[in-house]
Amino acid sequence: MFETVGEVLNNISNCVTQWTSRILAGLMGGMTAVILLAIVSRYVIKVSVPWAEELARYLMVWTTFLAGSLGLKKGIHVGISFVVRKIPPRICRWVSLISGLSLLFFFIVVIVEGFCFSMFVSRQLSPALRISMLWVYSALPTGGILFALFVIEFIVADIKRLTEKREIAGNAQDGFVLMEKE
Amino acid sequence: MTVLIITVFAIVALSGIPIAFCMGIVSLVSLLAMGKAFFLKLLAQKMVTGIDKFPLMAIPLFILAGNIMNRGELTNHLITFANFLVGRFRGGLAHVNIVTSIFFAGITGVAVADSSILGSIFVPAMEKEGYDTDVSAAVTASSSIIGPIMPPSVPFVLYGCTVGVSIGGLFLAGMIPGILLGLSLMLVSYFISKKRNYPVRDIHLSLRELALSFKNAAFALIMPILILGGILSGVFTPTEAAAVAVLYALIISLFVLRTLKISDLPSILVESAITASIVLMLISTANIFGTILTTQQIPQRVAHFLLSITSNPWVMLLLANIFLLIAGMFMAESPNIILLAPILAPIVTSLGIHPLHFGFVAVLNLTIGLITPPLGACLFILCGISNLSLEQLTKAILPFLAAEIAILFICTYLPAIPMFLPKLFGFG
């Protein structure tokens, strides 16, 4: 059963990753372009663009949560790994599973609270752009959903390995707990 | 409550969950333990407001500029030019490695990027010329931390944003010590090369080759000047300077060197965003975690405890240095800067130490943490490249590490060295 669930999840997550990457390239490029535009208009046309800084900041908020989730999938977030490195792989799997579940719990709270807070501030307008703050704060629940998706993928992979009788060769490196890569 | 926070943090962090999410989980547990569901609103709000800050944007932009510059042959030109400068001395390639790291500082500002790029070039090249693998890897690892000390530097931006000191001032403070670090490493490699009888190279460079390598190396060397000049003359904020650096890198690599195609850009943008998100996610969750620590008055209690030990600024600096070196052995530099700097900086500066001076010392100290065993990130990268065990590399890196810690203490106790340039430009 876990085979099929894992496969379906994998497909969904790969598709999501692809689209998130495209959006991210746009966000990051847009952020740079907006700041450059502000500089050019300040020094060349001598007009300051009051909304440029604000827009760039909001793009960065979105960039952070979307890119952060891809970072979790790639396993590049910094963590302390010398303990999990030392314990036997079998126990490591359990640690990884429990860590995954507690992360999932955190992300669910982030999604729910992020959604509630976005609704709470939706009638508030941003100072310069005059757009609803919903557009800014919804980055958090959106990112949260991606985070949750990638964590569920890890959790399913962990359960799959735990239910398998024979020990899989290799270590827990492919889980998200060992992250001293960068 | 304090005990709860510390225990939960220790358990969660040691189980391998990335520090950014540890802070989130611990904050969540503490908010739940406080028993008021309303506080959970704080979680959402703080996570967003933490990163909704203009100065922080310098971090993704500097990373992006570095990634654009890294593509292509710029590195090779830098190496040729460094080879011309220092290749003729005993242990030539080791010196070239170090000087290239100093040049590279203007491009990346991230030590792990430095060590993986230069390591994959220099370790095989040095082995081929008869250097021992462990020495080659040790030279690369120890010199890669010069990158974050000289502008543009991601850790300095991070420190400037979290503690609230001038980013331009920190950039200036890093200039002279960065060069001193390089010189001290060259001295160590000279002695090692003499002892192990590493080759002296003949440098045959035609004038034409030299001119070409200088011209292309200059493109990379102009970038820090552009950034610093823009910031110091008041033309740009650090964030704008970073955006200009991106534009400069784009123009150079798309039109001048032509090492980059437009179609390469999307992947570079995504890669840079993901790298930047490591730091930005930390800042996001640290913003809630910091609030919770403050409600428990933990920073004040640490301050009270430290001030009860000593009120001598120089002894306090020693304590802070030792504390940070130990912290740096176990945790990466960004979480350390975010978690510890806001607690330590007010204590040390209240005793009369200049905020820029302490900022520089703290960042240098935590950056050295990247090459201290058992958990230095740069060590792991070079172990991967050179197939050495951590023990072998640790043994080889000790003399270099000692030299760097010596520079750290010189900069701590002779404030004139890091503070000379900031004072000159009116930051003192």
Side-chain angles (χ1 to χ4, degrees), chain B residues 79-97 99 129 131 186 190 193 198-207 210:
Chain B
I79 293 171
T80 318
F81 185 55
N83 196 8
F84 163 72
L85 289 179
V86 291
R88 68 196 67 215
F89 302 118
R90 185 174 287 280
L93 260 187
H95 302 308
V96 174
N97 188 342
V99 171
E129 286 209 7
Y131 292 80
M186 285 167 77
Y190 176 77
S193 306
Y198 289 149
V200 182
R201 321 170 80 202
D202 286 327
I203 309 289
H204 298 294
L205 262 188
S206 72
L207 212 60
L210 179 65

Side-chain angles (χ1 to χ4, degrees), chain B residues 141-158:
Chain B
S142 53
S143 67
S144 68
I145 69 157
I146 299 173
I149 294 304
M150 295 181 79
S153 138
V154 169
F156 278 149
V157 175
L158 186 57

Side-chain angles (χ1 to χ4, degrees), chain A residues 5-182:
Chain A
V5 173
E7 246 168 62
V8 171
L9 263 177
N10 255 330
N11 288 340
I12 296 175
S13 109
N14 288 342
C15 181
V16 168
T17 309
Q18 217 173 35
W19 276 100
T20 313
S21 302
R22 281 177 202 163
I23 296 168
L24 262 182
L27 288 172
M28 194 75 180
M31 196 170 91
T32 320
V34 167
I35 299 172
L36 288 174
L37 174 83
I39 303 171
V40 169
S41 82
R42 190 170 73 221
Y43 286 108
V44 181
I45 322 172
K46 309 243 180 246
V47 181
S48 79
V49 188
W51 45 264
E53 186 198 307
E54 200 179 275
L55 179 58
R57 274 193 283 120
Y58 295 163
L59 290 174
M60 180 168 69
V61 171
W62 274 89
T63 306
T64 303
F65 293 121
L66 297 190
S69 69
L70 293 190
L72 184 79
K73 185 179 173 163
K74 287 177 80 178
I76 59 168
H77 287 286
V78 285
I80 297 174
S81 59
F82 67 95
V83 178
V84 270
R85 237 182 250 277
K86 289 276 186 298
I87 53 182
R90 192 83 190 163
I91 303 171
C92 193
R93 277 277 155 233
W94 281 104
V95 173
S96 170
L97 180 64
I98 295 165
S99 314
L101 290 172
S102 45
L103 270 179
L104 184 61
F105 172 61
F106 172 64
F107 292 137
I108 288 171
V109 175
V110 165
I111 297 169
V112 174
E113 288 304 321
F115 180 75
C116 293
F117 198 80
S118 306
M119 284 303 154
F120 182 69
V121 293
S122 62
R123 306 186 71 180
Q124 191 186 331
L125 297 181
S126 75
L129 283 167
R130 311 300 296 164
I131 54 164
S132 163
M133 289 305 279
L134 175 70
W135 291 105
V136 185
Y137 279 88
S138 51
L140 189 61
T142 313
I145 291 171
L146 295 178
F147 274 119
L149 172 71
F150 295 137
V151 165
I152 292 173
E153 210 188 339
F154 281 124
I155 293 173
V156 171
D158 278 338
I159 296 176
K160 207 172 100 187
R161 283 199 185 78
L162 279 169
T163 48
E164 272 162 6
K165 289 257 159 47
R166 66 200 160 80
E167 191 61 55
I168 296 291
N171 52 20
Q173 204 77 42
D174 45 337
F176 69 92
V177 278
L178 290 182
M179 308 200 138
E180 272 293 331
K181 275 184 223 156
E182 267 180 283

Side-chain angles (χ1 to χ4, degrees), chain A residues 31-32 34-36 39 42 52-53 56-57 60, chain B residues 53-62 65 157 161 167-168 171 227 230-231 235-247:
Chain A
M31 196 170 91
T32 320
V34 167
I35 299 172
L36 288 174
I39 303 171
R42 190 170 73 221
E53 186 198 307
R57 274 193 283 120
M60 180 168 69
Chain B
K53 291 186 182 117
F54 194 63
L56 281 179
M57 214 178 297
I59 294 174
L61 292 175
F62 276 139
V157 175
C161 290
I167 294 168
F171 280 0
I227 292 165
I231 297 173
V235 177
F236 312 130
T237 61
T239 305
E240 289 172 341
V244 171
V246 173
L247 183 68

